[in-house]
Amino acid sequence: MTALAPETWRRLLRRPSGDAALSSLYSPLCAPSTAADGCYVLGRIAQSLDGRIATASGASQWITGHEDIVHTHRLRALFDAVVIGAGTVRADDPQLTTREVEGPSPVRVVFDTDRRLDARYRVFREGPETLLLCALDAPGEDRVGNAPVLRMPRAGKGLAIAAVLAALAARGLRRVLVEGGGITVSRFLAAGALDRLHVTIAPLLIGSGIPAFTLAEATTLTDVLRFDWSVHRLGADLLVDIPLARARPGLPA
Ligand SMILES: NC(=O)c1ccc[n+]([C@@H]2O[C@H](COP(=O)([O-])OP(=O)(O)OC[C@H]3O[C@@H](n4cnc5c(N)ncnc54)[C@H](OP(=O)(O)O)[C@@H]3O)[C@@H](O)[C@H]2O)c1
């Protein structure tokens, strides 16, 4: 990965000159990968103060404000691929494009381990390239709508993340944004596959609903993942920027 040209920064940030605070947020994302797989992987979650990403019925639009939505679109413009889980496709029918900023839209990568999604969703019918990833033994054809299907080994309840990253890298997709939902981001985290994590916290309490993170139960507080973070104000919301360097819960960083 190379540093972004000044003109690219200006277009993405929509400002006449660089902004120091925003540069400190985005420039680490342009650092070269230090992982053996050659990928740089960013996890991304927008949550309520009580750690929910949607109501129990799956409503998540919108938890955070407009500045955070623009931030998400900037991230999409900076990454080669955006990963989402089947639960998010079903709940939101998202497009995952860069409508709020100038910049290319990433390749959409849908995790649907057991092929529960059909071709009715927009990612499979319109817009940028989409890949559907499922288990080796999942049923179905090798295409869903416009999207080719890539089959991956299973690991636990999902797909083997290391095999997924190797397959994406082989296609030239080395900058990978994992945009949700909670289960998908948590599976990358549990696999020690995140270089960085951006969590935006909105000033609201949902009180119940879909959790941001679902990880193995920790017995003691020495088992948990601890980290440094830096905090950025995005309108009414707080964005915490966490360098994870592929750390995973239960193991020292
Ligand atoms: N606030 C945010 O940042 C944000 C971002 C993205 C999404 N969301 C919201 O998060 C929710 C989804 O997140 P999530 O953690 O539940 O899931 P997810 O990470 O989007 O997707 C993974 C889950 O989807 C399940 N799944 C697969 N196919 C499905 C189908 N056809 N119908 C229903 N579920 C299916 C998978 O089940 P198996 O393991 O059995 O295959 C897996 O548990 C949605 O309500 C979405 O609106 C919020």
Side-chain angles (χ1 to χ4, degrees):
M1 263 181 288
T2 55
L4 290 186
E7 181 53 31
T8 310
W9 280 117
R10 278 194 288 277
R11 278 196 289 111
L12 272 177
L13 304 182
R14 281 196 178 150
R15 287 191 161 92
S17 61
D19 178 303
L22 286 175
S23 293
S24 74
L25 179 60
Y26 293 107
S27 55
L29 306 178
C30 300
S33 170
T34 52
D37 54 32
C39 293
Y40 189 93
V41 187
L42 175 71
R44 164 89 187 120
I45 281 287
Q47 66 166 57
S48 61
L49 181 62
D50 53 342
R52 307 290 172 174
I53 59 166
T55 64
S57 62
S60 66
Q61 295 170 350
W62 300 101
I63 290 178
T64 51
H66 182 69
E67 293 199 23
D68 189 52
I69 292 166
V70 172
H71 172 63
T72 301
H73 286 229
R74 283 181 187 141
L75 292 178
R76 290 176 187 165
L78 290 170
F79 281 76
D80 301 323
V82 56
V83 169
I84 52 161
T88 298
V89 173
R90 192 188 66 133
D92 299 346
D93 195 12
Q95 298 177 77
L96 305 168
T97 56
T98 53
R99 300 179 299 284
E100 296 283 346
V101 298
E102 287 183 50
S105 291
V107 172
R108 288 112 31 121
V109 178
V110 176
F111 276 40
D112 185 11
T113 309
D114 294 303
R115 293 295 299 276
R116 298 203 219 164
L117 299 177
D118 58 37
R120 85 183 76 154
Y121 299 98
R122 290 192 288 191
V123 284
F124 303 131
R125 292 191 286 108
E126 59 191 56
E129 182 182 356
T130 297
L131 304 171
L132 184 137
L133 271 50
C134 69
L136 290 171
D137 58 352
E141 306 294 320
D142 283 342
R143 243 186 142 73
V144 53
N146 298 329
V149 171
L150 303 187
R151 294 177 182 276
M152 298 286 141
R154 288 180 185 268
K157 290 184 182 166
L159 303 174
I161 305 291
V164 168
L165 291 178
L168 295 181
R171 290 174 166 255
L173 305 174
R174 293 189 178 82
R175 283 187 294 181
V176 179
L177 170 64
V178 186
E179 206 181 295
I183 290 173
T184 301
V185 172
S186 297
R187 284 177 181 169
F188 272 78
L189 189 51
L194 293 181
D195 292 286
R196 217 166 180 97
L197 184 59
H198 280 187
V199 180
T200 306
I201 303 167
L204 76 152
L205 292 168
I206 299 180
S208 58
I210 298 178
F213 299 103
T214 305
L215 297 165
E217 194 174 309
T219 311
T220 72
L221 286 176
T222 53
D223 291 340
V224 303
L225 187 56
R226 290 184 190 270
F227 39 74
D228 288 329
W229 65 20
S230 52
V231 181
H232 301 256
R233 187 93 197 202
L234 284 182
D237 305 321
L238 293 180
L239 169 64
V240 294
D241 176 20
I242 302 163
L244 281 176
R246 306 279 178 125
R248 64 195 220 189
L251 292 175

PDB file of all heavy atoms in Angstrom, residues 24-25 28 45 47-49 195-201 213 225-233 238-244:
ATOM      1  N   SER A  24      -4.802  12.102  10.821  1.00  0.00           N
ATOM      2  CA  SER A  24      -4.301  11.145  11.815  1.00  0.00           C
ATOM      3  C   SER A  24      -5.223   9.934  11.911  1.00  0.00           C
ATOM      4  O   SER A  24      -4.808   8.842  12.286  1.00  0.00           O
ATOM      5  CB  SER A  24      -4.156  11.811  13.187  1.00  0.00           C
ATOM      6  OG  SER A  24      -5.426  12.018  13.761  1.00  0.00           O
ATOM      7  N   LEU A  25      -6.493  10.130  11.541  1.00  0.00           N
ATOM      8  CA  LEU A  25      -7.434   9.008  11.548  1.00  0.00           C
ATOM      9  C   LEU A  25      -7.242   8.110  10.323  1.00  0.00           C
ATOM     10  O   LEU A  25      -7.267   6.885  10.431  1.00  0.00           O
ATOM     11  CB  LEU A  25      -8.855   9.576  11.583  1.00  0.00           C
ATOM     12  CG  LEU A  25     -10.021   8.598  11.564  1.00  0.00           C
ATOM     13  CD1 LEU A  25      -9.955   7.663  12.770  1.00  0.00           C
ATOM     14  CD2 LEU A  25     -11.342   9.355  11.560  1.00  0.00           C
ATOM     15  N   PRO A  28      -3.127   5.983   9.134  1.00  0.00           N
ATOM     16  CA  PRO A  28      -2.695   4.625   9.495  1.00  0.00           C
ATOM     17  C   PRO A  28      -3.276   3.547   8.576  1.00  0.00           C
ATOM     18  O   PRO A  28      -2.696   2.467   8.425  1.00  0.00           O
ATOM     19  CB  PRO A  28      -3.234   4.445  10.921  1.00  0.00           C
ATOM     20  CG  PRO A  28      -3.431   5.821  11.443  1.00  0.00           C
ATOM     21  CD  PRO A  28      -3.800   6.664  10.256  1.00  0.00           C
ATOM     22  N   ILE A  45     -17.786  -0.819  13.195  1.00  0.00           N
ATOM     23  CA  ILE A  45     -19.082  -1.015  13.845  1.00  0.00           C
ATOM     24  C   ILE A  45     -19.613   0.353  14.289  1.00  0.00           C
ATOM     25  O   ILE A  45     -18.845   1.186  14.761  1.00  0.00           O
ATOM     26  CB  ILE A  45     -18.919  -1.935  15.097  1.00  0.00           C
ATOM     27  CG1 ILE A  45     -18.827  -3.412  14.693  1.00  0.00           C
ATOM     28  CG2 ILE A  45     -20.040  -1.742  16.097  1.00  0.00           C
ATOM     29  CD1 ILE A  45     -20.107  -4.055  14.232  1.00  0.00           C
ATOM     30  N   GLN A  47     -22.386   1.657  16.990  1.00  0.00           N
ATOM     31  CA  GLN A  47     -23.179   1.073  18.073  1.00  0.00           C
ATOM     32  C   GLN A  47     -23.751   2.138  18.999  1.00  0.00           C
ATOM     33  O   GLN A  47     -23.284   3.273  19.048  1.00  0.00           O
ATOM     34  CB  GLN A  47     -22.309   0.103  18.880  1.00  0.00           C
ATOM     35  CG  GLN A  47     -21.165   0.793  19.630  1.00  0.00           C
ATOM     36  CD  GLN A  47     -20.537  -0.117  20.671  1.00  0.00           C
ATOM     37  OE1 GLN A  47     -20.075  -1.204  20.357  1.00  0.00           O
ATOM     38  NE2 GLN A  47     -20.528   0.337  21.916  1.00  0.00           N
ATOM     39  N   SER A  48     -24.771   1.721  19.739  1.00  0.00           N
ATOM     40  CA  SER A  48     -25.324   2.578  20.793  1.00  0.00           C
ATOM     41  C   SER A  48     -24.390   2.531  22.000  1.00  0.00           C
ATOM     42  O   SER A  48     -23.473   1.694  22.064  1.00  0.00           O
ATOM     43  CB  SER A  48     -26.718   2.071  21.180  1.00  0.00           C
ATOM     44  OG  SER A  48     -26.615   0.743  21.674  1.00  0.00           O
ATOM     45  N   LEU A  49     -24.643   3.402  22.971  1.00  0.00           N
ATOM     46  CA  LEU A  49     -23.813   3.399  24.184  1.00  0.00           C
ATOM     47  C   LEU A  49     -23.839   2.040  24.856  1.00  0.00           C
ATOM     48  O   LEU A  49     -22.852   1.612  25.449  1.00  0.00           O
ATOM     49  CB  LEU A  49     -24.313   4.486  25.148  1.00  0.00           C
ATOM     50  CG  LEU A  49     -23.544   4.639  26.453  1.00  0.00           C
ATOM     51  CD1 LEU A  49     -22.094   5.035  26.184  1.00  0.00           C
ATOM     52  CD2 LEU A  49     -24.218   5.671  27.345  1.00  0.00           C
ATOM     53  N   ASP A 195      -6.501  -5.800  11.753  1.00  0.00           N
ATOM     54  CA  ASP A 195      -5.378  -4.903  12.010  1.00  0.00           C
ATOM     55  C   ASP A 195      -5.816  -3.696  12.820  1.00  0.00           C
ATOM     56  O   ASP A 195      -5.034  -3.146  13.598  1.00  0.00           O
ATOM     57  CB  ASP A 195      -4.780  -4.430  10.672  1.00  0.00           C
ATOM     58  CG  ASP A 195      -4.109  -5.580   9.957  1.00  0.00           C
ATOM     59  OD1 ASP A 195      -3.019  -5.975  10.392  1.00  0.00           O
ATOM     60  OD2 ASP A 195      -4.700  -6.111   8.993  1.00  0.00           O
ATOM     61  N   ARG A 196      -7.053  -3.302  12.627  1.00  0.00           N
ATOM     62  CA  ARG A 196      -7.554  -2.090  13.273  1.00  0.00           C
ATOM     63  C   ARG A 196      -9.055  -2.207  13.397  1.00  0.00           C
ATOM     64  O   ARG A 196      -9.692  -2.958  12.645  1.00  0.00           O
ATOM     65  CB  ARG A 196      -7.199  -0.879  12.407  1.00  0.00           C
ATOM     66  CG  ARG A 196      -6.822   0.337  13.164  1.00  0.00           C
ATOM     67  CD  ARG A 196      -6.160   1.405  12.320  1.00  0.00           C
ATOM     68  NE  ARG A 196      -5.857   2.501  13.193  1.00  0.00           N
ATOM     69  CZ  ARG A 196      -4.682   2.706  13.762  1.00  0.00           C
ATOM     70  NH1 ARG A 196      -3.665   1.908  13.523  1.00  0.00           N
ATOM     71  NH2 ARG A 196      -4.513   3.733  14.580  1.00  0.00           N
ATOM     72  N   LEU A 197      -9.611  -1.417  14.317  1.00  0.00           N
ATOM     73  CA  LEU A 197     -11.053  -1.435  14.535  1.00  0.00           C
ATOM     74  C   LEU A 197     -11.534  -0.007  14.719  1.00  0.00           C
ATOM     75  O   LEU A 197     -10.951   0.744  15.514  1.00  0.00           O
ATOM     76  CB  LEU A 197     -11.327  -2.276  15.794  1.00  0.00           C
ATOM     77  CG  LEU A 197     -12.760  -2.542  16.227  1.00  0.00           C
ATOM     78  CD1 LEU A 197     -13.548  -3.259  15.138  1.00  0.00           C
ATOM     79  CD2 LEU A 197     -12.749  -3.387  17.512  1.00  0.00           C
ATOM     80  N   HIS A 198     -12.555   0.391  13.962  1.00  0.00           N
ATOM     81  CA  HIS A 198     -13.206   1.686  14.154  1.00  0.00           C
ATOM     82  C   HIS A 198     -14.601   1.424  14.716  1.00  0.00           C
ATOM     83  O   HIS A 198     -15.440   0.830  14.035  1.00  0.00           O
ATOM     84  CB  HIS A 198     -13.359   2.429  12.824  1.00  0.00           C
ATOM     85  CG  HIS A 198     -12.117   3.115  12.356  1.00  0.00           C
ATOM     86  ND1 HIS A 198     -12.087   3.956  11.266  1.00  0.00           N
ATOM     87  CD2 HIS A 198     -10.853   3.105  12.858  1.00  0.00           C
ATOM     88  CE1 HIS A 198     -10.857   4.427  11.109  1.00  0.00           C
ATOM     89  NE2 HIS A 198     -10.090   3.917  12.046  1.00  0.00           N
ATOM     90  N   VAL A 199     -14.826   1.869  15.942  1.00  0.00           N
ATOM     91  CA  VAL A 199     -16.153   1.732  16.558  1.00  0.00           C
ATOM     92  C   VAL A 199     -16.705   3.125  16.811  1.00  0.00           C
ATOM     93  O   VAL A 199     -16.063   3.916  17.512  1.00  0.00           O
ATOM     94  CB  VAL A 199     -16.085   0.959  17.891  1.00  0.00           C
ATOM     95  CG1 VAL A 199     -17.476   0.828  18.505  1.00  0.00           C
ATOM     96  CG2 VAL A 199     -15.468  -0.420  17.688  1.00  0.00           C
ATOM     97  N   THR A 200     -17.847   3.434  16.229  1.00  0.00           N
ATOM     98  CA  THR A 200     -18.493   4.715  16.526  1.00  0.00           C
ATOM     99  C   THR A 200     -19.579   4.473  17.568  1.00  0.00           C
ATOM    100  O   THR A 200     -20.388   3.547  17.428  1.00  0.00           O
ATOM    101  CB  THR A 200     -19.107   5.339  15.261  1.00  0.00           C
ATOM    102  OG1 THR A 200     -18.090   5.413  14.271  1.00  0.00           O
ATOM    103  CG2 THR A 200     -19.614   6.743  15.557  1.00  0.00           C
ATOM    104  N   ILE A 201     -19.558   5.290  18.604  1.00  0.00           N
ATOM    105  CA  ILE A 201     -20.511   5.154  19.713  1.00  0.00           C
ATOM    106  C   ILE A 201     -21.452   6.352  19.673  1.00  0.00           C
ATOM    107  O   ILE A 201     -21.015   7.504  19.709  1.00  0.00           O
ATOM    108  CB  ILE A 201     -19.764   5.096  21.058  1.00  0.00           C
ATOM    109  CG1 ILE A 201     -18.754   3.934  21.043  1.00  0.00           C
ATOM    110  CG2 ILE A 201     -20.756   4.941  22.216  1.00  0.00           C
ATOM    111  CD1 ILE A 201     -17.748   3.967  22.163  1.00  0.00           C
ATOM    112  N   PHE A 213     -20.541  -7.086  19.669  1.00  0.00           N
ATOM    113  CA  PHE A 213     -19.500  -8.117  19.775  1.00  0.00           C
ATOM    114  C   PHE A 213     -20.029  -9.336  20.508  1.00  0.00           C
ATOM    115  O   PHE A 213     -20.638  -9.220  21.569  1.00  0.00           O
ATOM    116  CB  PHE A 213     -18.267  -7.564  20.512  1.00  0.00           C
ATOM    117  CG  PHE A 213     -17.656  -6.399  19.796  1.00  0.00           C
ATOM    118  CD1 PHE A 213     -17.867  -5.106  20.252  1.00  0.00           C
ATOM    119  CD2 PHE A 213     -16.905  -6.581  18.648  1.00  0.00           C
ATOM    120  CE1 PHE A 213     -17.332  -4.022  19.574  1.00  0.00           C
ATOM    121  CE2 PHE A 213     -16.364  -5.506  17.968  1.00  0.00           C
ATOM    122  CZ  PHE A 213     -16.579  -4.224  18.421  1.00  0.00           C
ATOM    123  N   LEU A 225      -9.443  -8.963  25.918  1.00  0.00           N
ATOM    124  CA  LEU A 225      -8.602  -8.180  25.014  1.00  0.00           C
ATOM    125  C   LEU A 225      -8.594  -6.726  25.498  1.00  0.00           C
ATOM    126  O   LEU A 225      -9.645  -6.100  25.583  1.00  0.00           O
ATOM    127  CB  LEU A 225      -9.194  -8.273  23.610  1.00  0.00           C
ATOM    128  CG  LEU A 225      -8.426  -7.672  22.455  1.00  0.00           C
ATOM    129  CD1 LEU A 225      -7.020  -8.253  22.373  1.00  0.00           C
ATOM    130  CD2 LEU A 225      -9.172  -7.931  21.156  1.00  0.00           C
ATOM    131  N   ARG A 226      -7.415  -6.216  25.818  1.00  0.00           N
ATOM    132  CA  ARG A 226      -7.279  -4.806  26.214  1.00  0.00           C
ATOM    133  C   ARG A 226      -6.443  -4.095  25.170  1.00  0.00           C
ATOM    134  O   ARG A 226      -5.596  -4.715  24.525  1.00  0.00           O
ATOM    135  CB  ARG A 226      -6.582  -4.683  27.569  1.00  0.00           C
ATOM    136  CG  ARG A 226      -7.428  -5.164  28.729  1.00  0.00           C
ATOM    137  CD  ARG A 226      -6.689  -4.922  30.050  1.00  0.00           C
ATOM    138  NE  ARG A 226      -7.372  -5.589  31.141  1.00  0.00           N
ATOM    139  CZ  ARG A 226      -8.328  -5.029  31.869  1.00  0.00           C
ATOM    140  NH1 ARG A 226      -8.708  -3.790  31.639  1.00  0.00           N
ATOM    141  NH2 ARG A 226      -8.911  -5.711  32.846  1.00  0.00           N
ATOM    142  N   PHE A 227      -6.674  -2.798  25.015  1.00  0.00           N
ATOM    143  CA  PHE A 227      -5.969  -2.073  23.945  1.00  0.00           C
ATOM    144  C   PHE A 227      -5.935  -0.596  24.267  1.00  0.00           C
ATOM    145  O   PHE A 227      -6.642  -0.112  25.147  1.00  0.00           O
ATOM    146  CB  PHE A 227      -6.687  -2.297  22.611  1.00  0.00           C
ATOM    147  CG  PHE A 227      -8.183  -2.303  22.728  1.00  0.00           C
ATOM    148  CD1 PHE A 227      -8.884  -1.130  22.934  1.00  0.00           C
ATOM    149  CD2 PHE A 227      -8.893  -3.510  22.683  1.00  0.00           C
ATOM    150  CE1 PHE A 227     -10.256  -1.138  23.065  1.00  0.00           C
ATOM    151  CE2 PHE A 227     -10.279  -3.521  22.826  1.00  0.00           C
ATOM    152  CZ  PHE A 227     -10.961  -2.336  23.018  1.00  0.00           C
ATOM    153  N   ASP A 228      -5.102   0.127  23.517  1.00  0.00           N
ATOM    154  CA  ASP A 228      -5.138   1.590  23.520  1.00  0.00           C
ATOM    155  C   ASP A 228      -6.174   2.027  22.497  1.00  0.00           C
ATOM    156  O   ASP A 228      -6.490   1.272  21.577  1.00  0.00           O
ATOM    157  CB  ASP A 228      -3.780   2.162  23.092  1.00  0.00           C
ATOM    158  CG  ASP A 228      -2.742   1.962  24.179  1.00  0.00           C
ATOM    159  OD1 ASP A 228      -3.123   1.965  25.363  1.00  0.00           O
ATOM    160  OD2 ASP A 228      -1.564   1.795  23.815  1.00  0.00           O
ATOM    161  N   TRP A 229      -6.669   3.244  22.626  1.00  0.00           N
ATOM    162  CA  TRP A 229      -7.500   3.790  21.562  1.00  0.00           C
ATOM    163  C   TRP A 229      -7.287   5.287  21.474  1.00  0.00           C
ATOM    164  O   TRP A 229      -6.777   5.909  22.414  1.00  0.00           O
ATOM    165  CB  TRP A 229      -8.974   3.426  21.739  1.00  0.00           C
ATOM    166  CG  TRP A 229      -9.690   3.988  22.951  1.00  0.00           C
ATOM    167  CD1 TRP A 229      -9.321   5.072  23.720  1.00  0.00           C
ATOM    168  CD2 TRP A 229     -10.908   3.498  23.517  1.00  0.00           C
ATOM    169  NE1 TRP A 229     -10.234   5.260  24.714  1.00  0.00           N
ATOM    170  CE2 TRP A 229     -11.226   4.324  24.626  1.00  0.00           C
ATOM    171  CE3 TRP A 229     -11.767   2.464  23.193  1.00  0.00           C
ATOM    172  CZ2 TRP A 229     -12.355   4.134  25.411  1.00  0.00           C
ATOM    173  CZ3 TRP A 229     -12.904   2.288  23.977  1.00  0.00           C
ATOM    174  CH2 TRP A 229     -13.183   3.098  25.071  1.00  0.00           C
ATOM    175  N   SER A 230      -7.633   5.850  20.339  1.00  0.00           N
ATOM    176  CA  SER A 230      -7.721   7.303  20.256  1.00  0.00           C
ATOM    177  C   SER A 230      -9.157   7.637  19.886  1.00  0.00           C
ATOM    178  O   SER A 230      -9.841   6.846  19.223  1.00  0.00           O
ATOM    179  CB  SER A 230      -6.713   7.880  19.263  1.00  0.00           C
ATOM    180  OG  SER A 230      -6.823   7.236  18.034  1.00  0.00           O
ATOM    181  N   VAL A 231      -9.599   8.801  20.358  1.00  0.00           N
ATOM    182  CA  VAL A 231     -11.014   9.150  20.240  1.00  0.00           C
ATOM    183  C   VAL A 231     -11.161  10.385  19.350  1.00  0.00           C
ATOM    184  O   VAL A 231     -10.417  11.348  19.498  1.00  0.00           O
ATOM    185  CB  VAL A 231     -11.608   9.431  21.637  1.00  0.00           C
ATOM    186  CG1 VAL A 231     -13.087   9.763  21.536  1.00  0.00           C
ATOM    187  CG2 VAL A 231     -11.406   8.225  22.542  1.00  0.00           C
ATOM    188  N   HIS A 232     -12.096  10.316  18.421  1.00  0.00           N
ATOM    189  CA  HIS A 232     -12.371  11.419  17.497  1.00  0.00           C
ATOM    190  C   HIS A 232     -13.849  11.767  17.614  1.00  0.00           C
ATOM    191  O   HIS A 232     -14.700  10.880  17.670  1.00  0.00           O
ATOM    192  CB  HIS A 232     -12.066  11.016  16.051  1.00  0.00           C
ATOM    193  CG  HIS A 232     -10.645  10.606  15.833  1.00  0.00           C
ATOM    194  ND1 HIS A 232      -9.718  11.412  15.217  1.00  0.00           N
ATOM    195  CD2 HIS A 232      -9.984   9.466  16.171  1.00  0.00           C
ATOM    196  CE1 HIS A 232      -8.560  10.793  15.178  1.00  0.00           C
ATOM    197  NE2 HIS A 232      -8.684   9.604  15.742  1.00  0.00           N
ATOM    198  N   ARG A 233     -14.127  13.045  17.606  1.00  0.00           N
ATOM    199  CA  ARG A 233     -15.517  13.487  17.632  1.00  0.00           C
ATOM    200  C   ARG A 233     -16.051  13.503  16.202  1.00  0.00           C
ATOM    201  O   ARG A 233     -15.418  14.059  15.298  1.00  0.00           O
ATOM    202  CB  ARG A 233     -15.546  14.900  18.228  1.00  0.00           C
ATOM    203  CG  ARG A 233     -16.909  15.434  18.484  1.00  0.00           C
ATOM    204  CD  ARG A 233     -17.339  15.146  19.902  1.00  0.00           C
ATOM    205  NE  ARG A 233     -18.775  15.304  19.974  1.00  0.00           N
ATOM    206  CZ  ARG A 233     -19.441  15.542  21.083  1.00  0.00           C
ATOM    207  NH1 ARG A 233     -18.814  15.603  22.226  1.00  0.00           N
ATOM    208  NH2 ARG A 233     -20.739  15.673  21.063  1.00  0.00           N
ATOM    209  N   LEU A 238     -18.949   9.591  18.979  1.00  0.00           N
ATOM    210  CA  LEU A 238     -17.523   9.409  19.257  1.00  0.00           C
ATOM    211  C   LEU A 238     -17.013   8.219  18.457  1.00  0.00           C
ATOM    212  O   LEU A 238     -17.580   7.130  18.532  1.00  0.00           O
ATOM    213  CB  LEU A 238     -17.295   9.126  20.744  1.00  0.00           C
ATOM    214  CG  LEU A 238     -17.604  10.244  21.727  1.00  0.00           C
ATOM    215  CD1 LEU A 238     -17.315   9.772  23.148  1.00  0.00           C
ATOM    216  CD2 LEU A 238     -16.776  11.490  21.404  1.00  0.00           C
ATOM    217  N   LEU A 239     -15.945   8.447  17.717  1.00  0.00           N
ATOM    218  CA  LEU A 239     -15.316   7.352  16.981  1.00  0.00           C
ATOM    219  C   LEU A 239     -14.070   6.931  17.736  1.00  0.00           C
ATOM    220  O   LEU A 239     -13.195   7.764  17.990  1.00  0.00           O
ATOM    221  CB  LEU A 239     -14.942   7.814  15.571  1.00  0.00           C
ATOM    222  CG  LEU A 239     -14.052   6.853  14.770  1.00  0.00           C
ATOM    223  CD1 LEU A 239     -14.764   5.538  14.486  1.00  0.00           C
ATOM    224  CD2 LEU A 239     -13.621   7.490  13.459  1.00  0.00           C
ATOM    225  N   VAL A 240     -13.991   5.660  18.125  1.00  0.00           N
ATOM    226  CA  VAL A 240     -12.764   5.168  18.751  1.00  0.00           C
ATOM    227  C   VAL A 240     -11.993   4.348  17.723  1.00  0.00           C
ATOM    228  O   VAL A 240     -12.547   3.491  17.031  1.00  0.00           O
ATOM    229  CB  VAL A 240     -13.029   4.359  20.051  1.00  0.00           C
ATOM    230  CG1 VAL A 240     -13.597   5.258  21.115  1.00  0.00           C
ATOM    231  CG2 VAL A 240     -13.923   3.184  19.822  1.00  0.00           C
ATOM    232  N   ASP A 241     -10.712   4.692  17.636  1.00  0.00           N
ATOM    233  CA  ASP A 241      -9.808   4.098  16.647  1.00  0.00           C
ATOM    234  C   ASP A 241      -8.844   3.203  17.411  1.00  0.00           C
ATOM    235  O   ASP A 241      -8.081   3.675  18.259  1.00  0.00           O
ATOM    236  CB  ASP A 241      -9.080   5.247  15.930  1.00  0.00           C
ATOM    237  CG  ASP A 241      -8.033   4.757  14.944  1.00  0.00           C
ATOM    238  OD1 ASP A 241      -8.109   3.585  14.517  1.00  0.00           O
ATOM    239  OD2 ASP A 241      -7.141   5.556  14.598  1.00  0.00           O
ATOM    240  N   ILE A 242      -8.894   1.902  17.134  1.00  0.00           N
ATOM    241  CA  ILE A 242      -8.182   0.909  17.953  1.00  0.00           C
ATOM    242  C   ILE A 242      -7.182   0.135  17.084  1.00  0.00           C
ATOM    243  O   ILE A 242      -7.593  -0.633  16.204  1.00  0.00           O
ATOM    244  CB  ILE A 242      -9.192  -0.082  18.572  1.00  0.00           C
ATOM    245  CG1 ILE A 242     -10.214   0.672  19.413  1.00  0.00           C
ATOM    246  CG2 ILE A 242      -8.474  -1.153  19.379  1.00  0.00           C
ATOM    247  CD1 ILE A 242     -11.457  -0.142  19.723  1.00  0.00           C
ATOM    248  N   PRO A 243      -5.872   0.325  17.320  1.00  0.00           N
ATOM    249  CA  PRO A 243      -4.898  -0.495  16.599  1.00  0.00           C
ATOM    250  C   PRO A 243      -4.822  -1.883  17.227  1.00  0.00           C
ATOM    251  O   PRO A 243      -4.379  -2.031  18.363  1.00  0.00           O
ATOM    252  CB  PRO A 243      -3.582   0.280  16.762  1.00  0.00           C
ATOM    253  CG  PRO A 243      -3.779   1.169  17.931  1.00  0.00           C
ATOM    254  CD  PRO A 243      -5.240   1.279  18.230  1.00  0.00           C
ATOM    255  N   LEU A 244      -5.285  -2.896  16.529  1.00  0.00           N
ATOM    256  CA  LEU A 244      -5.332  -4.246  17.102  1.00  0.00           C
ATOM    257  C   LEU A 244      -4.134  -5.100  16.696  1.00  0.00           C
ATOM    258  O   LEU A 244      -3.765  -6.033  17.418  1.00  0.00           O
ATOM    259  CB  LEU A 244      -6.608  -4.970  16.656  1.00  0.00           C
ATOM    260  CG  LEU A 244      -7.892  -4.610  17.391  1.00  0.00           C
ATOM    261  CD1 LEU A 244      -9.072  -5.338  16.773  1.00  0.00           C
ATOM    262  CD2 LEU A 244      -7.782  -4.956  18.875  1.00  0.00           C
TER     263      LEU A 244
END
